[in-house]
Amino acid sequence: DFEVVTLMVIDDMKQGFPCAFFICSRIDSETVGSFINCVKERVGILQPSVFMSDMADLFYNGWLSVMHRVEKRLYCTWHVDRAWQNNLSKINNKQKRPEVYKKLRTLLEETDEETYLKLLPSIIQSLCKNEDTKVFGEYFNKYYGNCYTQWAYCFRKNAGIKANMHLERIHRTIKHLYLKGKTVKRLDKLIHAIMQMTQQKLFDRLTVLEKGKLTTKMKELRFRHKTSMTLNTDLIVQNNDTSWEVASSNG
């Protein structure tokens, strides 16, 4: 069986764009490193501020064998969520599974660090104390209890990336639009589907560049910029060469 690894970037329009694909029957740090080295030979050294992948170290280790260390290494929410759902079967009482999953999603999506750091040990303790959820609690604590800065929303607020949305969209596009929802065993059909999708993405990008596209993010940025032009300068205090404090104009 073959696996597909996608190297995706967030472009200047804040959209996810798949720029390289790696199809191989063996995915480990060595083969991923070879893939990244091919990318390096084409475009040179890349220095992203954020590297996002699933929880397996092999992708990041493969990256480090060729490229430089990044400021933030994050886990893709899509993969984290899928792993949680796949392991809910460790909970004996089926009625408790939705309740536990809801708690985990609340924890995941909490944006306040102080609140999060109170919730995490509390949830782990409650899971491990209950006989029905003990096995799942031990699993969660082992694989997620010490690496929470890599998957919790509150530690990625300024990362400027929502790769899970882009990844899920690409997975769905390949599977349902180009593969018609079927499992494809022939490699040539998979490559054809990937090439079709990439061609369409390139065409869409060229169309946007030609006609212009005002995304929600860009609209928000322009609105904020316009608002900032009318701010009372007395509300702005410069701390140093790189930071300022701006008081709310609403008081």
Side-chain angles (χ1 to χ4, degrees):
D1 292 342
F2 290 92
E3 293 185 64
V4 181
V5 175
T6 305
L7 179 63
M8 189 172 67
V9 299
I10 306 300
D11 64 17
D12 51 353
M13 290 176 286
K14 307 299 180 183
Q15 301 296 306
F17 192 90
C19 54
F21 296 93
F22 176 51
I23 303 172
C24 188
S25 59
R26 178 172 63 91
I27 302 296
D28 54 30
S29 297
E30 184 180 351
T31 57
V32 170
S34 298
F35 167 52
I36 299 300
N37 191 59
C38 290
V39 174
K40 176 187 172 183
E41 289 176 356
R42 294 297 298 270
V43 300
I45 293 288
L46 299 176
Q47 294 182 304
S49 57
V50 178
F51 181 93
M52 181 177 281
S53 68
D54 64 13
M55 290 76 71
D57 289 331
L58 63 92
F59 294 108
Y60 191 53
N61 290 339
W63 173 271
L64 289 180
S65 68
V66 180
M67 304 290 187
H68 299 309
R69 189 174 296 275
V70 299
E71 294 176 20
K72 280 181 178 286
R73 184 201 171 185
L74 302 176
Y75 294 154
C76 173
T77 303
W78 187 79
H79 287 101
V80 171
D81 184 84
R82 187 173 64 169
W84 288 350
Q85 293 192 56
N86 289 341
N87 282 277
L88 285 174
S89 58
K90 297 180 186 295
I91 300 174
N92 297 326
N93 189 334
K94 292 183 179 180
Q95 293 181 341
K96 290 187 177 181
R97 293 176 186 177
E99 179 186 342
V100 170
Y101 177 69
K102 186 177 180 181
K103 285 183 179 180
L104 296 183
R105 287 297 309 191
T106 300
L107 184 65
L108 172 73
E109 296 169 10
E110 176 57 55
T111 56
D112 181 73
E113 288 187 29
E114 187 176 347
T115 303
Y116 175 87
L117 292 173
K118 290 178 181 178
L119 281 174
L120 178 63
S122 174
I123 289 177
I124 291 176
Q125 186 178 26
S126 67
L127 289 173
C128 292
K129 277 188 174 182
N130 189 290
E131 284 300 318
D132 290 330
T133 61
K134 183 179 179 181
V135 175
F136 181 85
E138 291 173 348
Y139 151 78
F140 179 79
N141 188 37
K142 179 180 179 180
Y143 292 103
Y144 299 94
N146 295 319
C147 60
Y148 52 84
T149 58
Q150 294 172 302
W151 55 266
Y153 280 14
C154 60
F155 296 102
R156 61 175 67 183
K157 287 185 292 186
N158 299 318
I161 186 170
K162 293 182 179 179
N164 54 301
M165 294 170 58
H166 302 298
L167 274 175
E168 191 170 1
R169 189 179 300 120
I170 286 176
H171 287 163
R172 190 167 55 245
T173 300
I174 294 177
K175 182 177 180 180
H176 296 288
L177 184 59
Y178 295 102
L179 298 179
K180 303 186 186 303
K182 299 177 182 178
T183 299
V184 175
K185 295 183 179 180
R186 286 178 51 180
L187 187 59
D188 60 325
K189 286 190 175 182
L190 173 61
I191 294 173
H192 180 67
I194 289 174
M195 290 180 69
Q196 272 191 308
M197 185 201 68
T198 306
Q199 184 181 40
Q200 185 61 49
K201 292 282 287 184
L202 283 169
F203 179 78
D204 291 343
R205 177 172 169 79
L206 289 172
T207 302
V208 169
L209 289 174
E210 185 67 27
K211 294 184 177 180
K213 178 182 179 182
L214 197 59
T215 63
T216 303
K217 182 71 174 178
M218 290 303 296
K219 286 180 182 178
E220 184 180 346
L221 287 173
R222 290 187 182 183
F223 174 76
R224 290 184 178 184
H225 177 72
K226 188 175 180 180
T227 303
S228 69
M229 299 298 288
T230 62
L231 278 176
N232 184 347
T233 54
D234 293 335
L235 298 175
I236 305 172
V237 178
Q238 184 172 1
N239 295 326
N240 50 52
D241 292 338
T242 59
S243 71
W244 290 262
E245 285 186 11
V246 182
S248 171
S249 58
N250 297 325

